[in-house]
Amino acid sequence: MSEATTFNILITGNVLGDRESAILALAELFKKTEHQVESLLIKAPIAIKKKVDRTTAEKYRKAIEQRGFEVSLEENKPALHNQWTLEPTEDEIPRRSNTGKAL
């Protein structure tokens, strides 16, 4: 069973145009103050949304890049440990006779 690929959306902090205009536009988009956006950008690159499908990720990328900031999409890969189990395999389960004693 395969899981659908998900993405984290990261603002890289790189400005594609005028920084002040980009900050103002991003603040309006996310309904934040310019100061809050500046504080966020200090931590860049920073994930603003995690584990979203490709369509949603592309929608965010387009909206943010139109406002003047570079966006990076980081693919989430399924962890290998999700495929592992501590349950014994059939070879590891001791077989028992009808009397209940191990063979």
Side-chain angles (χ1 to χ4, degrees):
M1 178 166 92
S2 65
E3 296 179 24
T5 303
T6 60
F7 297 86
N8 295 338
I9 305 163
L10 294 97
I11 293 181
T12 66
N14 296 331
V15 182
L16 303 174
D18 176 59
R19 184 173 176 80
E20 292 302 315
S21 297
I23 289 172
L24 179 59
L26 202 59
E28 288 175 7
L29 176 66
F30 290 117
K31 297 179 177 50
K32 302 290 181 193
T33 66
E34 291 176 52
H35 179 72
Q36 288 172 315
V37 171
E38 285 278 5
S39 296
L40 176 77
L41 294 173
I42 290 170
K43 301 171 189 173
I46 186 163
I48 58 161
K49 196 84 169 163
K50 295 182 179 181
K51 295 185 178 180
V52 298
D53 61 47
R54 179 176 289 281
T55 303
T56 302
E58 290 296 343
K59 184 169 34 169
Y60 271 85
R61 179 203 311 250
K62 183 179 177 183
I64 294 167
E65 286 182 348
Q66 284 177 340
R67 283 155 178 87
F69 281 98
E70 183 181 77
V71 174
S72 173
L73 301 181
E74 179 181 81
E75 184 177 341
N76 291 303
K77 296 187 168 85
L80 290 177
H81 70 280
N82 288 343
Q83 300 169 6
W84 298 347
T85 179
L86 296 177
E87 296 295 319
T89 63
E90 286 190 28
D91 295 337
E92 297 171 326
I93 298 173
R95 289 186 283 159
R96 301 197 177 272
S97 68
N98 290 341
T99 61
K101 295 185 181 185
L103 294 176

